[in-house]
Amino acid sequence: MEIASAGVTRTADRTQLDPNVKGLIFDVMRFSLHDGPGIRTTVFLKGCPLGCWWCHNPEGLASEPEVVYVEERCVRTGECVAACPHHAITWHDGPFRDASICQKCGTCAAACPTGATQMIGRWVTVQQLMDELSRDLVFFDESGGGATFSGGEPLLQSQFLEAMLDACRARRIHTVVETCGVVARETLLRLSRKIDLFLYDVKLMDSKKHRTYTGAANGNILQNLRALARVHANIIVRMPVIPGINDDAENAEQLARFLKSSGISRLDLLPYHPSGGDKYGRLHRVYRLSGLKPPPSEQMQIMAERFQRDGLAVRVGG
């Protein structure tokens, strides 16, 4: 008897993984304690439909591999120039990469002795990623942890994500998916049956402000969340708290009403931090919140108490 599902075929007592199903990831973080219950291994998938001003993973925005150059690490050996098979790198008092010629093959990064040139994003098969996750099975079992799929937006790579979810279920690995909610509703609801816990991001309730600070309106995000709450009982909404952008009382009141009317009772408040700001220059992106300071702990506590008065179970930090 065979049961096929999104790249995974189970035959009797073994699971066969389709080598043609691949995903683009940019990091695998082991021993994570903030992306779901227990000790977790968090997989970051590349590609995101939003462009939040405060994003601390800008390397996850593009849906393709990227080459970055960290000048302070360069010891000027010129090995990247010699290694490039496409002649996309020339020397002008340092390496210069012509993006119109570069094939993003990663040869230059492999040749760099100091990591000054780096490839962000690598294609992996389900089997390759499962091999990495399997290294931490003992920690998952002892702590009640598992695998978390984040990004970027993991649901953009729905075929690969579904194959990973099926493979995790076959190994009895608890799964968490963190999503911004910008996804086809059919895909969200179909995969929801295979996901143990959702971490669902809600940034702003005002659609106009949401478009200004993220690049998209929030109607589909909120409608998807309502639809998901009707079929899935394990959802934690996460709101990043960005001073001067979404930390006002009106946004909090609107969010509390929405969550209560949707039957959602769990909320994590994530205080803004500027830790990803230095990544933007390397990616030739502009960080729009330069100089913004994290919200004081006292303010976070006041905000948490406001939501708690509305009957929500609130954590600061998640």
Side-chain angles (χ1 to χ4, degrees):
M1 178 179 178
E2 293 188 349
I3 303 174
S5 178
V8 177
T9 301
R10 296 186 185 86
T11 305
D13 61 348
R14 65 192 184 95
T15 301
Q16 296 179 340
L17 304 179
D18 186 345
N20 296 314
V21 178
K22 295 183 178 181
L24 182 62
I25 68 174
F26 66 92
D27 197 8
V28 176
M29 182 182 296
R30 302 176 69 203
F31 308 112
S32 174
L33 300 175
H34 302 288
D35 297 318
I39 296 174
R40 312 197 67 81
T41 297
T42 302
V43 180
F44 295 88
L45 282 73
K46 217 166 178 324
C48 185
L50 298 181
C52 303
W53 287 21
W54 51 86
C55 179
H56 61 274
N57 287 330
E59 68 271 42
L61 296 176
S63 298
E64 59 183 8
E66 297 174 276
V67 182
V68 299
Y69 172 62
V70 185
E71 184 176 4
E72 56 268 27
R73 293 186 183 178
C74 184
V75 293
R76 302 181 181 277
T77 64
E79 292 182 45
C80 55
V81 179
C84 180
H86 308 288
H87 307 291
I89 305 177
T90 53
W91 194 265
H92 299 279
D93 193 30
F96 172 78
R97 182 177 61 89
D98 187 335
S100 66
I101 301 175
C102 178
Q103 301 297 305
K104 300 177 181 177
C105 64
T107 305
C108 57
C112 180
T114 62
T117 300
Q118 304 171 6
M119 279 295 299
I120 298 179
R122 59 185 172 103
W123 291 98
V124 294
T125 65
V126 177
Q127 184 65 67
Q128 288 171 331
L129 188 51
M130 282 304 300
D131 288 344
E132 292 192 51
L133 293 179
S134 295
R135 295 162 56 192
D136 295 329
L137 282 174
V138 63
F139 302 108
F140 300 161
D141 292 342
E142 291 180 355
S143 69
T148 297
F149 299 94
S150 186
E153 171 50 61
L155 285 162
L156 284 185
Q157 300 186 52
S158 59
Q159 183 185 23
F160 176 72
L161 177 61
E162 185 170 8
M164 286 301 306
L165 293 170
D166 284 333
C168 285
R169 284 165 68 87
R171 297 295 301 272
R172 297 183 180 179
I173 297 175
H174 182 274
T175 56
V176 172
V177 169
E178 182 174 11
T179 179
C180 70
V182 183
V183 63
R185 190 164 309 149
E186 178 184 353
T187 299
L188 175 67
L189 298 183
R190 177 170 54 83
L191 266 63
S192 70
R193 300 189 296 269
K194 305 179 179 186
I195 297 168
D196 293 308
L197 170 64
F198 276 94
L199 303 179
Y200 199 108
D201 296 345
V202 176
K203 288 76 155 102
L204 283 150
M205 295 302 294
D206 182 270
S207 188
K208 184 176 180 180
K209 289 182 69 175
H210 194 280
R211 183 182 293 277
T212 296
Y213 291 110
T214 73
N218 65 359
N220 186 50
I221 295 171
L222 298 178
Q223 292 167 15
N224 278 347
L225 180 54
R226 277 198 194 277
L228 180 63
R230 287 195 288 267
V231 300
H232 202 287
N234 207 5
I235 303 171
I236 300 176
V237 168
R238 286 184 152 189
M239 186 183 84
V241 179
I242 317 299
I245 293 179
N246 70 345
D247 59 344
D248 56 284
E250 182 178 0
N251 186 64
E253 291 169 4
Q254 291 179 2
L255 176 58
R257 286 198 300 269
F258 178 86
L259 296 182
K260 290 175 66 177
S261 67
S262 301
I264 298 170
S265 61
R266 300 162 71 187
L267 173 66
D268 286 351
L269 299 175
L270 309 179
Y272 162 80
H273 58 82
S275 61
D278 60 342
K279 301 177 184 179
Y280 282 75
R282 301 172 187 174
L283 293 163
H284 305 289
R285 297 177 181 270
V286 176
Y287 187 57
R288 304 197 207 191
L289 298 181
S290 179
L292 185 66
K293 297 184 182 303
S297 57
E298 296 82 1
Q299 179 187 351
M300 295 300 302
Q301 186 59 39
I302 291 172
M303 181 174 287
E305 291 172 356
R306 177 189 299 154
F307 282 111
Q308 288 167 350
R309 287 195 295 270
D310 288 316
L312 297 170
V314 184
R315 294 186 305 176
V316 174

